[in-house]
């Protein structure tokens, strides 16, 4: 099931390093759009605590399409109102907020492993005029949508595959980010 969802857990030291780079204030609002094993949430809590935040879980929001991942986010200390069982790429509660930091390891699901309905849904997605080509993996859509939810000057810290550097859709993402 984890592979089907594109979930590959990030080692805690890597998640912690990204959290330490991205989270610069105890007041930062943070989103984890594919919370998985909650490692980025736990690293964010640790970083916010180090910065003097008294209630770090109040600064975090998590999304995931998988119920068990949402359960892990709640186990990390997030309240029900801060954990959203939803498809991040569809319109959802997180779209109403701008974040200082978006951290995570987006799902790695190649197009050929998706159902026809999933592929059709992705083909309709467009982000500020950018429409990814038909070979794009799921992680690329997460990057594009996440940038739209960042405040001006916000920081995006994602673990991304090397296809970012050599695929056509990776170049589209890089151009978008620049």
């Amino acid at each position: 099931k984890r592979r089907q969802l594109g979930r590959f857990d990030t080692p805690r030291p890597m998640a912690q390093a990204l959290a330490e780079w991205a989270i610069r204030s105890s007041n930062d609002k943070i989103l984890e759009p594919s919370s998985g094993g909650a490692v980025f949430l736990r690293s964010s809590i640790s970083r916010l605590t180090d910065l003097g935040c008294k209630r770090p879980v109040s600064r975090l929001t998590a999304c995931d399409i998988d119920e068990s991942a949402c359960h892990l986010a709640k186990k990390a200390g997030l309240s029900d109102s801060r954990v959203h069982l939803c498809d991040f790429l569809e319109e959802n509660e997180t779209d109403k907020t701008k974040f200082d930091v978006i951290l995570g390891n987006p799902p790695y699901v190649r197009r050929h492993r998706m159902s026809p309905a999933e592929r059709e849904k992705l083909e309709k997605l467009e982000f500020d005029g950018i429409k990814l080509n038909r070979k794009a993996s799921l992680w690329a859509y997460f990057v594009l949508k996440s940038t739209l939810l960042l405040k001006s000057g916000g920081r995006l810290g994602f673990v991304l595959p090397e296809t970012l550097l050599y695929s056509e859709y990776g170049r589209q993402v890089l151009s978008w980010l620049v």
Side-chain angles (χ1 to χ4, degrees):
K1 181 179 178 184
R2 288 168 54 165
R3 181 180 172 152
Q4 183 181 12
L5 293 171
R7 180 174 154 193
F8 295 90
D9 291 339
T10 305
R12 178 67 187 256
M14 183 183 290
Q16 194 64 44
L18 277 172
E20 289 173 11
W21 168 79
I23 302 169
R24 299 181 184 167
S25 164
S26 62
N27 293 319
D28 280 349
K29 288 174 73 172
I30 302 150
L31 171 65
E32 214 297 26
S34 54
S35 60
V39 68
F40 282 95
L41 297 172
R42 292 180 192 285
S43 294
S44 295
I45 291 167
S46 173
R47 175 64 173 157
L48 287 166
T49 301
D50 289 348
L51 290 170
C53 184
K54 301 291 183 216
R55 289 189 17 93
V57 293
S58 71
R59 310 302 305 160
L60 301 170
T61 301
C63 288
D64 208 290
I65 200 165
D66 181 27
E67 248 181 270
S68 63
C70 290
H71 173 74
L72 291 172
K74 292 174 187 177
K75 197 171 173 182
L78 277 68
S79 66
D80 287 347
S81 65
R82 297 210 161 270
V83 178
H84 304 281
L85 176 61
C86 64
D87 182 341
F88 175 68
L89 296 176
E90 293 180 0
E91 190 171 333
N92 63 70
E93 201 60 31
T94 62
D95 294 350
K96 299 174 185 171
T97 306
K98 292 286 187 176
F99 297 89
D100 300 291
V101 175
I102 301 179
L103 285 174
N105 186 349
Y108 302 145
V109 180
R110 293 182 182 156
R111 190 71 142 224
H112 69 277
R113 292 196 181 270
M114 296 178 200
S115 71
E118 290 171 315
R119 287 193 296 266
E120 185 178 324
K121 178 186 80 172
L122 292 178
E123 287 173 18
K124 294 177 183 176
L125 291 178
E126 190 172 312
F127 301 95
D128 270 1
I130 284 231
K131 192 168 178 71
L132 293 172
N133 75 33
R134 296 180 122 198
K135 294 180 181 177
S137 184
L138 197 55
W139 66 262
Y141 294 93
F142 271 69
V143 172
L144 295 183
K145 180 167 182 184
S146 292
T147 61
L148 298 176
L149 298 179
L150 280 174
K151 291 180 181 177
S152 179
R155 292 160 306 281
L156 179 67
F158 272 169
V159 176
L160 298 176
E162 66 181 306
T163 55
L164 171 70
L165 303 173
Y166 65 79
S167 67
E168 183 180 329
Y169 68 90
R171 287 190 291 277
Q172 284 181 286
V173 170
L174 285 174
S175 292
W176 168 262
L177 292 172
V178 171

